[in-house]
Amino acid sequence: PLSTAKIACGAQVPERYLMQIMKALKDAGLLEATRGVRGGYKLAKPIGWITLQDVCDAVDGRHIPETLAIQSLSATSQRLIVDVLADIADDERRRLGGFALDALQSSN
C-alpha cells in the first residue's frame, strides 16, 4: 500500500485534495485502504479491470445531459440538442470504458 503523503508528493498535489479523491475511489470499490504504519491505498482489483470510465464515475459522478431552457429555441430544437449531447455522452462512456488503466503503465 502507498500512503497519501507519498502519492501526493509524487503527483505534486495537496494531500488534503488527494485524500478526497482517494475516498471517492475507495467508496466506488476501486481502492482498498489499510490503516497503520504500513497502511495506505492499493487497487481493489487488477489494474486491467479498472477503466478510465470507472475512475471518472467515482470522482465526478455520472453526467447526464440536462433539458435546455433556451427561450430563443423551439422545444423541438432544444430536444434535438439534448439528444446530440446524450449521444456524445454515450460515446464518451463507451470510449473511456474501453480504456483500462493498465494501458497507462510504462513499458519499462
Side-chain angles (χ1 to χ4, degrees):
L2 294 173
S3 70
T4 54
K6 188 170 188 172
I7 297 168
C9 182
Q12 298 180 345
V13 297
E15 189 174 355
R16 291 181 68 118
Y17 174 70
L18 179 66
M19 289 174 67
Q20 294 172 359
I21 294 171
M22 301 301 269
K23 181 182 181 325
L25 294 170
K26 180 182 166 286
D27 291 348
L30 301 178
L31 293 179
E32 293 177 348
T34 306
R35 294 181 186 261
V37 176
R38 293 191 174 174
Y41 289 92
K42 66 179 183 177
L43 295 177
K45 47 187 157 182
I47 194 169
W49 294 5
I50 301 172
T51 67
L52 286 177
Q53 188 59 56
D54 296 330
V55 174
C56 289
D57 285 346
V59 175
D60 291 332
R62 187 168 183 175
H63 295 283
I64 300 170
E66 298 178 17
T67 304
L68 297 174
I70 302 172
Q71 294 179 356
S72 61
L73 294 177
S74 69
T76 302
S77 295
Q78 290 181 44
R79 277 193 303 276
L80 287 172
I81 292 172
V82 169
D83 288 346
V84 168
L85 293 175
D87 287 345
I88 292 169
D90 289 343
D91 187 51
E92 174 187 37
R93 291 188 66 75
R94 182 184 55 77
R95 288 173 183 249
L96 293 175
F99 196 89
L101 295 186
D102 60 351
L104 298 176
Q105 285 184 313
S106 69
S107 57
N108 296 341

